[in-house]
Amino acid sequence: MKICNFHLYLLIIMSLIISGCSTKLPYVLNPNYDQNSTRIIALLPVENKTVDDGKTSQLLRTRLFEELYFKGYPKLPLDLIDKKLESLYANGTKGSSATVAPQALKDLVGADAGLYCTIMEGRKPEKLFYAPITIAIRCELRSAQTGEIIWNAQGESTSRNFDFTHEGLERKSHEALEAVIEEVVNKVIKTLPDGPNLRG
């Protein structure tokens, strides 16, 4: 009888630990969000607040693009968006995506909303035998009609890589980068309401 009670107490303690460790992904959905008014999303170039070669931003944007499609939103080609955005930049100087007004996206590419994403934390410098990768992103969906934020979310994913050689560590870090990006994008996009192709 005492053994059964011990197992019961152990089960309760483990449940409390697990529930304490699982944190909900922070996201906000505007209470005035109208699914029918958001059918086409323009995914703007990803802003990067970290020191990076641009590869992470490109991989992240490509993955976001794929996940938007699987979430039920029609594909709006990234090269089309980029070409149209060039007309907004004076003297051919590329500006920040954050400065692009959501209202301009309706006329430029026929989008109902713009998805603005930022890398808040990126790859960290390699240390001896150890190369951690943490990718933290924040995304905002802004209405092309009103400019207001209708959904936003943030997420983070980490991979810890160990190896005894620099080459091995570099290879593992490269392989882990795509997995970390995929994981963090999945975390964020799962909180976005379904698109028109899934709503029917």
Side-chain angles (χ1 to χ4, degrees):
M1 193 70 170
K2 287 182 179 178
I3 293 175
C4 289
N5 285 341
F6 173 76
H7 285 117
L8 180 63
Y9 290 134
L10 187 60
L11 184 62
I12 291 170
I13 289 169
M14 290 299 292
S15 299
L16 289 172
I17 290 171
I18 290 169
S19 64
C21 291
S22 63
T23 56
K24 284 191 172 183
L25 181 75
Y27 79 99
V28 176
L29 182 64
N30 190 316
N32 299 323
Y33 177 78
D34 178 13
Q35 285 187 320
N36 296 322
S37 67
T38 308
R39 301 180 63 82
I40 300 174
I41 294 176
L43 175 58
L44 279 76
V46 174
E47 292 291 309
N48 198 335
K49 299 285 186 186
T50 69
V51 177
D52 189 73
D53 58 3
K55 180 182 177 184
T56 304
S57 301
Q58 291 172 353
L59 286 171
L60 186 62
R61 190 181 186 205
T62 301
R63 189 64 195 163
L64 285 163
F65 180 73
E66 292 167 357
E67 286 304 309
L68 280 176
Y69 176 71
F70 292 127
K71 196 68 179 178
Y73 292 92
K75 287 187 174 181
L76 190 55
L78 300 179
D79 55 349
L80 172 69
I81 295 169
D82 294 345
K83 188 169 184 174
K84 295 289 185 180
L85 288 178
E86 286 176 8
S87 65
L88 298 179
Y89 304 132
N91 303 324
T93 306
K94 189 173 179 183
S96 166
S97 298
T99 62
V100 176
Q103 293 89 334
L105 298 173
K106 188 74 175 175
D107 296 329
L108 285 174
V109 292
D112 303 309
L115 185 57
Y116 298 73
C117 294
T118 305
I119 299 174
M120 307 305 295
E121 186 176 350
R123 302 173 72 171
K124 296 184 176 176
E126 289 182 12
K127 299 177 181 176
L128 190 62
F129 311 130
Y130 179 53
I133 295 176
T134 297
I135 303 290
I137 63 170
R138 184 182 68 228
C139 292
E140 294 180 346
L141 187 66
R142 301 180 193 168
S143 167
Q145 186 71 32
T146 63
E148 69 179 334
I149 297 171
I150 50 182
W151 166 87
N152 72 66
Q154 57 188 40
E156 181 179 302
S157 191
T158 300
S159 172
R160 294 171 178 84
N161 308 292
F162 299 90
D163 204 283
F164 291 110
T165 67
H166 174 73
E167 293 77 15
L169 196 57
E170 196 171 301
R171 187 188 72 253
K172 286 183 178 179
S173 296
H174 178 72
E175 291 168 356
L177 179 62
E178 290 190 29
V180 170
I181 287 173
E182 182 175 351
E183 185 177 310
V184 74
V185 167
N186 288 343
K187 284 180 181 178
V188 169
I189 294 296
K190 76 177 180 181
T191 68
L192 180 70
D194 289 341
N197 296 341
L198 293 184
R199 294 197 300 263

